[in-house]
Amino acid sequence: MKRSYLLGTAFALPFMALAGTASADCGSLTIASMNWQSAEVLANLDQFILNEGYGCNAEIVAGDTVPSITSLVEKGQPEIVPEAWVDLMPEIVDAGLKDEKIVSLSRSLSDGGQQGWFIPRYMLDDHPDLNKIEEILAHPELFPAPEDPSKGAVFNGPQGWGGTVVTTQLAKALDIEGHGFTLVDTGSAAGLDGSIARAYEQQAPWLGFYWEPTSLLGKYDMVAVDFGMPHDTEEWKRCTSVADCPDPKANAFPVDNVFTLVSKKFADAADPGVIDYLSKRSWSNDTVNKLMAWMTDNQATGEDGAREFLRENEETWTQWVTPEAAERIKAAL
């Protein structure tokens, strides 16, 4: 309950900070760029908008979830963590919010980070209820395994992934073998990606573990499987995510909360327009998936991706900024 309360009330904090802001100086600041594509492009987007639209002197610093959030809470730097997966370290985030060392602004990913089992969109078009787990389990023949077409296949990730453990445990809990299914070990991230790509190229069946936002789901339209139940956090910790737990129960994947976190000192001192932008700036997984697919296809950097988004999505980002900032950003592209 404590985590839910703090994360739920965090959205009130930026507006409290705004109300007490006397300074309109953006000044120099640092933005954490994590070592994955969606976080990299978001950091570059924030840098471009803040520098060109609001006259900031924002620099990007390399980071990762644990060190960046820890440093933000303990030292107030980097001043902005644009894509903070707060569920990975809820105690530190909650303490930082409670002690008023940090402020939670926008929900960076409006849909949240999503892991799960997915099927191709074209399969759902042919079988309208096939995104439901009970419908899938009733029809193994729709998902023939590559080595044994008499069984249905659930493609799993490589060994060592948390999602691989979860999929293995859910396979036990749902008794997929009793329903005529088998787990398929794809061996590596490339193997998993390749299995989806081959299925799509052939418009063939596919069912298995994946997540978003990712460039692959920007290229291939996949639909998450509905497990028909709410996520049970306690069961997840007890058994769903524990490889050697002998008695897993059916469960649903969680939706990861992904917020923009900033230092309280920065929120209090910055131009209110900057905080307003960071409070509004939020994009969907579909938007990020497609942008990352473009970046992958074009071997583009985070800076390239930010500029592409600004060029192609003016109707979206102009809702985040002031009219004056919008004109300056357009002129800088």
Side-chain angles (χ1 to χ4, degrees):
M1 291 299 292
K2 178 184 176 185
R3 179 173 69 181
S4 300
Y5 172 75
L6 287 172
L7 294 180
T9 57
F11 297 105
L13 294 177
F15 302 103
M16 293 166 59
L18 272 173
T21 300
S23 172
D25 178 27
C26 181
S28 298
L29 64 128
T30 52
I31 302 172
S33 176
M34 311 304 194
N35 58 357
W36 58 89
Q37 202 173 36
S38 62
E40 178 193 2
V41 70
L42 185 55
N44 277 271
L45 179 65
D46 284 349
Q47 182 190 41
F48 192 95
I49 286 178
L50 293 180
N51 286 356
E52 302 299 339
Y54 293 93
C56 301
N57 180 25
E59 295 185 1
I60 289 177
V61 295
D64 207 339
T65 299
V66 174
S68 293
I69 294 178
T70 302
S71 179
L72 173 64
V73 172
E74 295 181 353
K75 302 176 182 178
Q77 292 183 327
E79 282 82 2
I80 303 173
V81 178
E83 190 178 300
W85 292 64
V86 299
D87 295 334
L88 295 176
M89 45 193 315
E91 293 83 7
I92 292 178
V93 173
D94 286 350
L97 293 170
K98 183 178 180 181
D99 295 341
E100 296 189 354
K101 293 181 177 180
I102 63 173
V103 175
S104 176
L105 299 181
S106 65
R107 186 178 285 272
S108 312
L109 300 176
S110 58
D111 308 312
Q114 297 186 345
Q115 302 178 71
W117 293 5
F118 288 80
I119 65 170
R121 173 75 63 181
Y122 52 78
M123 294 193 73
L124 185 61
D125 292 341
D126 292 340
H127 307 275
D129 290 325
L130 202 57
N131 64 320
K132 296 179 174 59
I133 191 64
E134 63 270 19
E135 188 74 8
I136 288 171
L137 293 175
H139 293 286
E141 75 279 1
L142 296 178
F143 302 93
E147 300 298 327
D148 184 358
S150 69
K151 296 182 178 180
V154 179
F155 288 86
N156 208 353
Q159 296 302 312
W161 281 12
T164 302
V165 171
V166 169
T167 292
T168 301
Q169 291 295 80
L170 289 178
K172 296 176 187 175
L174 296 168
D175 186 25
I176 67 166
E177 289 189 3
H179 288 86
F181 282 82
T182 186
L183 280 178
V184 176
D185 182 359
T186 55
S188 66
L192 180 62
D193 289 358
S195 70
I196 294 176
R198 286 190 297 274
Y200 242 88
E201 288 164 4
Q202 301 168 13
Q203 294 289 283
W206 195 90
L207 166 66
F209 171 77
Y210 216 73
W211 68 96
E212 60 178 343
T214 53
S215 61
L216 193 76
L217 296 201
K219 187 173 184 179
Y220 303 116
D221 188 5
M222 305 289 284
V223 180
V225 171
D226 180 358
F227 281 81
M229 65 192 71
H231 170 68
D232 185 334
T233 302
E234 293 306 314
E235 175 61 18
W236 185 272
K237 292 178 181 178
R238 183 194 74 85
C239 199
T240 312
S241 61
V242 179
D244 58 357
C245 180
D247 60 338
K249 296 178 174 59
N251 203 351
F253 283 84
V255 175
D256 288 311
N257 291 294
V258 186
F259 295 115
T260 294
L261 301 179
V262 305
S263 76
K264 182 66 161 59
K265 182 178 179 180
F266 169 73
D268 286 344
D271 180 340
V274 169
I275 303 302
D276 188 53
Y277 157 68
L278 292 170
S279 299
K280 292 177 178 176
R281 190 265 294 118
S282 178
W283 50 11
S284 68
N285 284 339
D286 183 61
T287 297
V288 184
N289 287 342
K290 290 175 180 176
L291 179 59
M292 289 194 295
W294 178 88
M295 291 171 64
T296 299
D297 289 345
N298 291 277
Q299 297 183 321
T301 64
E303 182 180 358
D304 296 332
R307 288 177 175 271
E308 173 69 9
F309 173 80
L310 291 168
R311 285 192 295 264
E312 298 298 323
N313 297 273
E314 184 176 312
E315 72 287 351
T316 298
W317 65 261
T318 51
Q319 302 300 309
W320 302 339
V321 302
T322 64
E324 296 79 11
E327 290 307 312
R328 290 190 288 268
I329 293 164
K330 291 176 191 176
L333 285 173

